[in-house]
């Protein structure tokens, strides 16, 4: 028996032909990148290990980085050891450890007061340190109030990644609505925590400009809401860690939510 709903279905598919991935892929090919997804384990690791939260490498000549607003020790969100990156990405940000600190002090509302969603906020710190092992004097336990459980990064899994329609347009590729919809359905750019790839922008394309040379900074890492960190950026926002290619000491974390 002919079902009336099937007639409607057929009509709909005729009037807006479904885009197919095999025909879209060649159009995107030159903008394909590899994104690396961290494999993690909830465990304490040594101070130079790559990790989310926990205890990072701190030198004997410094104190744990504190927030400029509340003066409390900031959460370690991420530490990446350049020796533990995927083999092809070893020179990504320079030698040593990239560290991301972020104040999660709700009593003082540092995130809001310091507008931590913008790059270079006073309640965040992103830096690369290259300490010799003899100067590392990290505490055994995190001094952060309500420190998140540590997750050690024990490996990486690669996936192909593509930019969103807006970023593609900036690159000179204009997609049809059906092609943009398909890209969205395929979940590109990929969400979740990842190294490199293309940023999953919740709002528009927002690479911070380097304060030294004004050039848009480059994506290093994406930290998504509640993936490896039990933390939500605003309302299911997504954060990006970026670095200037010419000025390696210019690094930032920034995020947006809908
Ligand atoms: Zn603070
Ligand atoms: Zn620069």
């Amino acid at each position: 028996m002919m079902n009336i709903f099937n007639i409607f279905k057929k009509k709909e598919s005729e009037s807006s032909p479904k885009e197919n991935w095999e025909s879209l892929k060649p159009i995107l090919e030159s903008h394909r990148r590899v994104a690396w997804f961290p494999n993690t384990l909830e465990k304490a690791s040594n101070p130079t290990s790559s990790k989310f939260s926990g205890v990072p490498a701190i030198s004997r000549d410094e104190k744990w980085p504190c927030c400029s607003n509340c003066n409390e020790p900031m959460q370690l969100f991420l530490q990446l050891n350049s020796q533990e990156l995927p083999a092809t990405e070893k020179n990504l940000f320079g030698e040593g450890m990239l560290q991301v600190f972020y104040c999660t002090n709700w009593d003082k509302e540092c995130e809001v007061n310091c507008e931590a969603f913008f790059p270079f906020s006073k309640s965040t710190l992103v830096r690369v340190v290259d300490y010799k092992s003899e100067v590392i004097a990290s505490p055994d336990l995190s001094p952060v109030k309500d420190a998140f459980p540590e997750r050690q990064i024990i490996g990486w899994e690669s996936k192909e990644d593509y930019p969103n329609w807006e970023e593609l347009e900036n690159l000179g590729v204009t997609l049809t609505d059906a092609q943009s919809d398909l890209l969205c359905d395929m979940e590109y750019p990929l969400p979740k925590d990842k190294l490199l790839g293309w940023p999953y922008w919740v709002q528009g394309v927002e690479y911070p400009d380097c304060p030294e040379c004004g050039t848009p900074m480059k994506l290093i890492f994406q930290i998504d809401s509640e993936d490896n960190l039990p933390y939500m950026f605003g309302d299911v926002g997504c954060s990006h860690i970026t670095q200037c290619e010419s000025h390696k000491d210019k690094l930032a974390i920034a995020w947006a939510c809908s």
Side-chain angles (χ1 to χ4, degrees), residues 37-54:
F37 290 77
N39 293 323
T40 61
L41 265 188
E42 188 169 326
K43 75 190 260 279
S45 56
N46 79 55
T48 58
S49 298
S50 297
K51 59 182 82 184
F52 293 91
S53 199

Side-chain angles (χ1 to χ4, degrees), residues 67-72 74 103-105 108 110-111 114 123:
C67 167
S68 309
N69 191 53
C70 68
N71 300 315
E72 296 286 329
M74 290 187 281
C103 185
T104 54
N105 185 342
K108 297 280 184 329
C110 297
E111 183 177 73
C114 299
S123 64

Side-chain angles (χ1 to χ4, degrees), residues 210 213 244 247:
C210 168
C213 67
C244 176
H247 304 98

Side-chain angles (χ1 to χ4, degrees), residues 132-149:
K132 295 210 165 28
S133 57
E134 56 271 26
V135 307
I136 294 174
S138 301
D140 292 336
L141 284 176
S142 170
V144 177
K145 201 172 146 241
D146 302 322
F148 299 149

Side-chain angles (χ1 to χ4, degrees), residues 162-231:
Y162 299 93
N164 75 4
W165 70 268
E166 188 188 358
E167 189 140 26
L168 280 166
E169 197 142 284
N170 297 344
L171 296 164
V173 180
T174 302
L175 299 186
T176 64
D177 287 351
Q179 288 171 329
S180 298
D181 288 349
L182 176 62
L183 200 61
C184 252
D185 290 347
M186 302 285 292
E187 287 211 301
Y188 293 123
L190 296 168
K192 306 278 183 194
D193 299 341
K194 66 183 181 187
L195 179 79
L196 295 171
W198 288 95
Y200 171 72
W201 300 113
V202 178
Q203 293 188 13
V205 174
E206 292 178 296
Y207 293 101
D209 291 334
C210 168
E212 189 87 16
C213 67
T215 310
M217 305 213 290
K218 190 181 155 232
L219 176 73
I220 301 284
F221 201 93
Q222 168 172 296
I223 305 180
D224 209 345
S225 279
E226 298 191 321
D227 186 8
N228 283 287
L229 287 178
Y231 192 73

Side-chain angles (χ1 to χ4, degrees), residues 246-257:
S246 315
H247 304 98
K248 299 280 190 188
D249 62 328
K250 299 292 181 255
L251 296 127
I253 178 168
W255 58 267
C257 68

Side-chain angles (χ1 to χ4, degrees), residues 85-98:
L85 294 174
T88 51
E89 317 294 356
K90 289 268 191 272
N91 298 316
L92 179 59
F93 53 75
E95 283 286 301
M97 281 152 287
L98 182 149

